[in-house]
Amino acid sequence: MDKFVNVALPKGRLGEKVYSMFEKAGYECPSIREPNRKLIFENPEAGVRYFWVKPSDVAIYVERGAADIGVAGKDILLEYEPDVFELLDLNVGKCRMAVAGPGDFRDDPGRTLIVATKFSNIASTYYNSLGRDIDIIHLNGSIEIAPILGLSDVIVDIVETGATLKENNLEVLENIVPISARLISNKASFRFKSDKIEEIAAGLAEVIKND
Amino acid sequence: MKTSDYTLRDDEKIIFALRSLFEKYGYEQYKMVKFEEYDLYVRNKEFLVSDNIITFNDTSGKLMALKPDVTLSIIKNTKDEPDGIRKVYYNENVYRVSKSSKAFRELMQVGIECMGNIDGYCISETLSLAAMSLKLISEASILSITDLDVISYVINLVTDDSRLASELLALAGEKNLHGIAALCAENGISDEKCGLFCKVVALHGRPGAVIESLREIIPGCPALIPLSETVRSLGEYEDMLELDFSYSGNIKYYNGIVFKGYVDGVPACVLSGGQYDKLMAKMGRKSKAIGFAVYLDELEKILSRGKQYDVDTLLIYGDSTDRKALTEKVKELAQSGSSVLALRKVPPKLRYRQLIEI
């Protein structure tokens, strides 16, 4: 059995913040802070190996066992529904999933609502729960432009401060779910490395408490 | 003709070993047709891992399906004998959509079903066979057992709202304690009840220690007595057993003991099973039942690594080689028990134990 716990971290600002939490919890890996293009770093004493991966891929690495644990946004977990354990809410990367549209938008229940989004699964689950018939247009970015150009009635997207929406004359119409970064674990790895994984989770929980 | 160990692939060796194990315990092989009426699966859609099914019309226009599951067919085609016990094993292909590729795949499944007047011994025997099946695959394996009667008892202490109960169960399956706390707070569940549920969900580890903890957390739970008895009967496998209460399956069909098997190096469970009396009742059967399946496709990751050579002997011949001598040499090597490949030149990347030029 690999004695390391393999940790998939999301590349970018959130990943750096999360790594600091691992560091404070006693799982530092100084080489990670050195300026280079390496993607894998390990600290044999602490028994951890970190990988930087695209944030939306963290759940795949963990579900497929390439990483034992990882940090993924709740949006990714809701969208892809990976078969993993969600061990801890890290309370960072906080934002919300929301329906947004022009301020004067009025939903006409007599016609199909056209929704543009990157999060098709979250949007369809939400509108199914309301019994609302929708047509989803899957986009990969610049979602805010869709209602402006008449491509969709509303959008379902992540809202952090609402500044981008405001600049494009859009506003939040409904909040769907709060989002934050979560510590996830592969279900098989959790069985074979449970002591170490639980120790890391407890260490991070302590860091959250003290912050 | 003698089949050497070399001829069998690792997955085939496992299939034969499992079949031999099940037959030793009195299970008879159950053969079935590749397809069933589509209606069987529609009525029990939630029991299936995926509700995508390959369908076609037979010659009379009836809608048929390539079987996505074995258990439903066995229940449907087996006589209901609530006073007796029928033990069968199967080794069949099923057709399911792969979650990652979203395409249909043909998957090999080997498993057992024990139906009828299921008693404590039947449960212990099934769990022992599951443990032995895992050991046949790898020494580094874990059989994780959950008792749904314990979970139902705790859920009933927390809420009688079935919608909330199923949401709590889904979160329990993720070990999502922060999610459980938030959901309880939203629904006005007291901290005491929420804490009790979280304590049970967080429990996992060696059965003895977990049962001790359960006795402290829920002393009045009647399911603890049969659970302790089941665990006691499995003492031989103690090193590979764990009790875990983060169940993510369907409680509409399963009841009592459910379990999953894990092998080091494989990221998903390779064995899954449990008691499914509720499914039997839903299909109009009075019998109770327990069984499990081993998912051989999940083992590809560890099995493909085993083979060191593609062939034992690579025999290279040329234009001037005497054909009779070559034929005899190939036959001699093949009959000695090793594999031999006769070619004119060495192919790139072929792994061979020895090279002979003739």
Side-chain angles (χ1 to χ4, degrees), chain A residues 1-2 62-66 74 80-89 182 186-188 190-192 194 198, chain B residues 99-100 140-142 144 172-178 202 204 242 244 246 248 262-268 301:
Chain A
M1 194 195 305
D2 183 1
V62 175
E63 186 181 30
R64 295 297 190 103
K74 184 68 181 174
Y80 298 107
E81 298 178 347
D83 189 17
V84 294
F85 287 139
E86 185 184 319
L87 300 178
L88 198 62
D89 182 347
R182 311 291 163 101
N186 175 276
K187 288 189 171 181
F190 186 84
R191 261 106 198 176
F192 289 100
S194 64
E198 286 194 300
Chain B
K99 201 185 161 198
S100 50
S141 49
I142 290 175
S144 180
E174 297 170 359
K175 285 196 185 290
N176 188 341
L177 301 183
H178 50 277
H204 71 94
E242 72 153 24
D244 183 304
S246 58
S248 56
Y262 297 88
V263 168
D264 190 23
V266 181
K301 252 196 157 175

Side-chain angles (χ1 to χ4, degrees), chain A residues 132-186:
Chain A
R132 181 74 173 96
D133 181 30
I134 61 163
D135 183 12
I136 291 182
I137 298 176
H138 187 93
L139 297 176
N140 294 305
S142 303
I143 316 289
E144 296 82 2
I145 211 168
I148 301 169
L149 298 180
L151 181 64
S152 72
D153 297 319
V154 293
I155 63 171
V156 166
D157 205 8
I158 289 173
V159 180
E160 210 171 328
T161 60
T164 316
L165 291 179
K166 206 171 170 188
E167 279 174 29
N168 289 291
N169 296 320
L170 301 175
E171 57 186 62
V172 170
L173 304 172
E174 299 285 341
N175 285 316
I176 299 179
V177 65
I179 304 289
S180 56
R182 311 291 163 101
L183 178 71
I184 58 173
S185 165
N186 175 276

Side-chain angles (χ1 to χ4, degrees), chain B residues 154 156-159 184 189-198:
Chain B
V154 183
N156 287 337
L157 292 179
V158 175
T159 180
C184 285
I189 305 289
S190 71
D191 288 352
E192 190 196 345
K193 284 181 178 174
C194 176
L196 181 107
F197 186 61
C198 285

Side-chain angles (χ1 to χ4, degrees), chain A:
Chain A
M1 194 195 305
D2 183 1
K3 62 184 170 55
F4 282 93
V5 169
N6 296 310
V7 188
L9 292 176
K11 260 192 257 178
R13 253 186 319 162
L14 175 66
E16 280 161 28
K17 208 167 180 178
V18 167
Y19 169 70
S20 305
M21 295 173 77
F22 275 85
E23 206 174 37
K24 279 186 200 163
Y27 301 95
E28 73 284 347
C29 185
S31 58
I32 216 166
R33 298 236 185 244
E34 290 163 12
N36 56 41
R37 285 170 177 252
K38 272 172 70 180
L39 295 171
I40 302 177
F41 304 87
E42 58 185 47
N43 177 352
E45 285 86 52
V48 285
R49 183 186 289 129
Y50 294 101
F51 319 136
W52 288 121
V53 302
K54 196 174 170 185
S56 55
D57 290 341
V58 170
I60 298 169
Y61 278 82
V62 175
E63 186 181 30
R64 295 297 190 103
D68 299 310
I69 58 173
V71 174
K74 184 68 181 174
D75 51 327
I76 300 297
L77 302 179
L78 290 170
E79 181 61 22
Y80 298 107
E81 298 178 347
D83 189 17
V84 294
F85 287 139
E86 185 184 319
L87 300 178
L88 198 62
D89 182 347
L90 295 172
N91 266 329
V92 291
K94 282 183 165 182
C95 50
R96 59 199 155 131
M97 186 65 66
V99 180
D104 57 357
F105 175 76
R106 254 192 89 249
D107 188 8
D108 174 4
R111 55 180 280 271
T112 303
L113 182 71
I114 303 172
V115 183
T117 186
K118 248 196 287 191
F119 302 97
S120 307
N121 189 28
I122 296 177
S124 60
T125 307
Y126 173 67
Y127 283 105
N128 270 344
S129 74
L130 301 177
R132 181 74 173 96
D133 181 30
I134 61 163
D135 183 12
I136 291 182
I137 298 176
H138 187 93
L139 297 176
N140 294 305
S142 303
I143 316 289
E144 296 82 2
I145 211 168
I148 301 169
L149 298 180
L151 181 64
S152 72
D153 297 319
V154 293
I155 63 171
V156 166
D157 205 8
I158 289 173
V159 180
E160 210 171 328
T161 60
T164 316
L165 291 179
K166 206 171 170 188
E167 279 174 29
N168 289 291
N169 296 320
L170 301 175
E171 57 186 62
V172 170
L173 304 172
E174 299 285 341
N175 285 316
I176 299 179
V177 65
I179 304 289
S180 56
R182 311 291 163 101
L183 178 71
I184 58 173
S185 165
N186 175 276
K187 288 189 171 181
S189 301
F190 186 84
R191 261 106 198 176
F192 289 100
K193 300 179 180 175
S194 64
D195 290 350
K196 188 82 185 170
I197 291 174
E198 286 194 300
E199 188 188 294
I200 294 173
L204 290 171
E206 198 58 32
V207 172
I208 297 165
K209 214 166 87 183
N210 297 335
D211 267 359

